[in-house]
Amino acid sequence: MELRKFNNKVVTMTDVDNQTFEGICLFEDKDTFDEEYDALSVKTGLRWTRLFENEILNVEIIKKIN
């Protein structure tokens, strides 16, 4: 899945445990953060939730942020 296209967009993201997170999305490159997988972080309220590529079941763009 190409996660970079979700950067700076409002998304709904579902993980493999069928939990859903909705909010502003931030792409985190595996090389920059020295991780095994790329990741997406979603800001839900005051907290950020990070899911790695292998934990993400589905991502849908709700709207773009200008």
Side-chain angles (χ1 to χ4, degrees), residues 1-4 26-41 50-54:
M1 181 182 308
E2 176 57 43
L3 299 181
R4 188 177 304 272
L26 175 67
F27 172 75
E28 297 182 28
D29 183 53
K30 65 182 173 188
D31 298 326
T32 304
F33 292 92
D34 198 29
E35 296 288 348
E36 188 175 343
Y37 298 100
D38 288 335
L40 289 178
S41 291
R50 178 191 292 172
L51 292 175
F52 291 101
E53 188 172 23
N54 63 332

Side-chain angles (χ1 to χ4, degrees), residues 12-29:
T12 298
M13 183 166 52
T14 306
D15 69 4
V16 293
D17 296 327
N18 211 27
Q19 294 178 319
T20 302
F21 306 94
E22 185 176 310
I24 299 170
C25 187
L26 175 67
F27 172 75
E28 297 182 28
D29 183 53

